[in-house]
C-alpha cells in the first residue's frame, strides 16, 4: 500500500505544478497580447484554457480573461456599439484599428458565453462565493454592495439565499451559537440586500436561460423563493444576536421580511424574545407583533399591556422616539379599544409629561388630545367635577403594570393644567387648549415627531417680534454691579 500512496502524492504534486505553470503561461500570454497586436491570436489559447477539464486551469484562465479584457476596455480597444460579424468586418470598409477592436470584441463575447456555461454547469457551486463574502474577520460591506447587482437575477438570488442558510448553520454551530459581530454584520448586510419579487410574473431576469432548465426548476417558482427566504432568515435569527443587530433587523422587519415569508407567524418567538430585552428593542419588536396581529390573525392578548409598560421617562430621550410615537399612534387608532385602556394611556402620558422636555411635550399634548377625540368617553378626564381649592389625592396608580387596574378613569388630567404655567410659551399655549372644547379634527403629530431642541431654539430666535432677549431684571449701572447690589450682598472683594 505504501507505493500506491507515494504515487498518489506524486500525482497531486504534478497536477499542482502543471496548474502553476499554466497560470504563469497565461499571464505571459496576456502580457504578449497587450504589448503587441501581432500576438492577438494568442487570445484563443486563453479561451481554450477556459474550457479545460482541470478546475485550477479554468480558474487561471478566468483571471487571465479578467486582466486582458479589463485592460482592453480601459485602452478603448474593444469595439463599442452594434457589433458587426467578423466576415463583414474583413470585407467591409473598416480601418485596421476597427478590425482589431471588432476581433477582440468577438473574443470577449466568446469569453462571456463560456463563463455562463460554467455558471450553469451541474457541478457549479455558488457556496464558495458566499463563503468568501461572509468573512468572519473582514467587514465586506463594500464588496457586498458591489455584488448586489447580481442579486437582481432570480437564479443567483435563489442559490445565494440557500447558500447563506447553509453557511450560517455551519459557522454558528462551529462557534456554538456565540456572537460573532463581524460575521453577523456581513450576513445581515448580504441578506438585507436581497429584494424579493411580489408576483411570479416578475421572475424574468435569469443569468442562465430558463428554457435550458427543467420545468420544475425551483429558482423559477415564487413559492420556492419565499420558502428559502424564510428559512434563511429564521436560520439566522435563531442564534444569539448583539443588541445592535436586533435593532437593524427589527427596523426592516415589517417592510422587507414579513411580507415575503410563507408563514410570517413563525417570527413570533424571535419577536417575543426581542421584546424581553427592553428599551428601544422592545419598542421596535411591538411593531412586528402588531403586523402579525392585524394582518395574520395572531392572538396576542398582552400586546397593549406591553405597549403601556413601555411608557417610561426614557421614551422621550431614546433614538427611536419619533418611531415609537408614530407606531403608538397607529396602535391606538382603533375606535374599538375599551375606554379604560385609552384612559390609561392618556393618563400615563400626562403624568410623564410633568418631567418631559419641551420638544416631547409639543408631541405628547396633541397625542393625548387625539386619544380623547377618538374616544369621547374619555372626556371625563377633563371635566372631572372637583373643588379646586380642596386637597386632591390622585387615585391613579402609576406603578400598576395592568392598564385595567390603574384606576385612570377615576382620575383627571390635572397634569396638563400644571403645564399651563410651563416656562416655554409654546408648551403653555398647547396646555391651555384643554380649557376649551376640543375640535373634532385630530391634530397632525407628524410635524412634531422629530423636532429637536436646536430646531425649537432656532424657531424662537427667528420670530420677528423678538428684537432683544432680557438677561437681567434690573439694568446694570456699572461692571459687575447691577440694581440692588446683588454682588455686594453675596461677595466681598478684597
Amino acid at each position: 500500500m505504501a507505493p500506491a500512496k507515494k504515487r498518489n502524492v506524486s500525482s497531486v504534486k504534478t497536477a499542482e505544478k502543471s496548474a502553476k505553470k499554466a497560470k504563469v503561461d497565461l499571464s505571459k500570454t496576456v502580457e504578449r497580447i497587450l504589448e503587441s497586436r501581432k500576438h492577438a491570436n494568442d487570445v484563443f489559447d486563453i479561451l481554450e484554457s477556459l474550457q479545460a477539464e482541470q478546475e485550477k486551469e479554468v480558474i487561471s484562465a478566468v483571471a487571465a480573461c479578467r486582466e486582458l479584457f479589463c485592460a482592453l476596455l480601459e485602452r478603448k480597444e474593444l469595439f463599442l456599439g452594434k457589433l458587426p460579424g467578423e466576415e463583414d468586418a474583413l470585407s467591409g470598409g473598416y480601418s485596421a484599428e476597427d478590425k482589431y477592436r471588432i476581433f477582440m470584441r468577438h473574443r470577449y463575447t466568446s469569453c462571456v458565453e463560456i463563463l455562463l456555461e460554467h455558471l450553469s454547469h451541474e457541478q457549479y457551486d455558488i457556496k464558495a462565493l458566499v463563503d468568501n463574502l461572509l468573512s468572519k474577520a473582514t467587514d465586506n460591506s463594500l464588496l457586498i454592495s458591489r455584488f448586489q447587482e447580481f442579486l437582481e437575477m432570480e437564479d443567483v438570488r435563489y442559490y445565494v439565499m440557500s447558500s447563506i442558510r447553509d453557511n450560517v448553520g455551519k459557522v454558528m454551530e462551529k462557534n456554538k451559537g456565540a456572537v460573532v459581530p463581524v460575521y453577523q454584520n456581513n450576513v445581515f448586510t448580504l441578506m438585507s440586500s436581497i429584494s424579493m419579487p411580489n408576483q411570479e410574473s416578475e421572475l424574468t431576469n435569469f443569468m442562465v436561460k430558463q428554457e435550458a432548465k427543467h420545468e420544475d426548476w425551483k429558482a423559477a417558482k415564487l413559492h420556492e423563493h419565499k420558502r428559502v427566504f424564510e428559512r434563511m432568515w429564521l436560520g439566522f435569527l435563531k442564534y444569539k444576536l448583539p443588541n445592535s443587530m436586533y435593532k437593524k433587523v427589527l427596523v426592516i422587519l415589517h417592510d422587507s421580511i414579513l411580507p415575503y415569508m410563507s408563514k410570517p407567524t413563525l417570527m413570533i418567538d424571535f419577536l417575543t424574545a426581542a421584546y424581553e430585552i427592553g428599551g428601544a428593542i422592545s419598542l421596535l419588536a411591538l411593531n412586528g407583533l402588531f403586523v402579525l396581529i392585524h394582518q395574520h390573525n395572531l392572538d396576542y392578548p398582552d400586546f397593549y399591556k406591553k405597549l403601556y409598560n413601555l411608557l417610561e421617562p426614557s421614551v422621550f430621550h431614546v433614538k427611536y422616539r419619533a418611531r415609537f410615537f408614530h407606531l403608538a399612534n397607529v396602535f391606538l387608532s382603533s375606535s374599538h379599544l375599551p375606554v379604560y385602556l385609552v384612559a390609561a394611556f392618556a393618563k400615563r402620558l400626562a403624568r410623564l409629561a410633568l418631567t418631559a422636555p419641551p420638544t416631547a411635550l409639543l408631541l405628547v399634548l396633541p397625542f393625548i388630545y387625539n386619544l380623547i377625540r377618538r374616544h369621547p368617553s374619555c372626556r371625563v378626564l377633563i371635566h372631572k367635577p372637583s373643588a379646586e381649592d380642596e386637597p386632591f389625592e390622585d387615585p391613579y396608580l402609576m406603578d400598576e403594570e395592568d392598564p385595567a387596574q390603574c384606576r385612570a378613569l377615576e382620575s383627571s388630567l390635572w397634569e396638563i393644567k400644571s403645564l399651563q404655567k410651563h416656562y416655554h410659551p409654546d408648551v403653555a399655549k398647547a396646555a391651555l387648549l384643554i380649557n376649551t372644547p376640543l375640535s373634532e379634527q385630530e391634530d397632525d403629530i407628524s410635524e412634531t415627531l422629530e423636532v429637536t431642541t436646536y430646531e425649537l431654539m432656532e424657531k424662537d430666535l427667528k420670530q420677528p417680534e423678538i428684537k432683544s432677549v432680557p438677561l437681567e431684571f434690573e439694568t446694570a449701572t456699572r461692571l459687575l454691579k447691577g440694581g440692588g447690589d446683588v454682588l455686594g450682598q453675596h461677595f466681598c472683594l478684597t
Side-chain angles (χ1 to χ4, degrees), residues 328-340:
N329 189 49
V330 174
F331 301 156
L332 296 170
S333 60
S334 173
S335 58
H336 298 291
L337 296 176
V339 63
Y340 78 83

Side-chain angles (χ1 to χ4, degrees), residues 196-199 222 225-227 229-230 233 249 251-265 267 288 291-292 295-296:
M196 287 285 287
N198 292 303
Q199 301 177 355
L222 180 60
H225 277 259
K226 285 191 172 184
R227 182 184 64 83
F229 178 83
E230 178 179 273
W233 276 105
V249 173
V251 164
I252 68 169
L253 183 70
H254 65 293
D255 285 333
S256 303
I257 301 178
L258 291 179
Y260 305 105
M261 296 182 69
S262 299
K263 298 179 180 178
T265 51
M267 295 293 288
V291 172
L292 295 181
Q295 297 181 14
H296 303 282

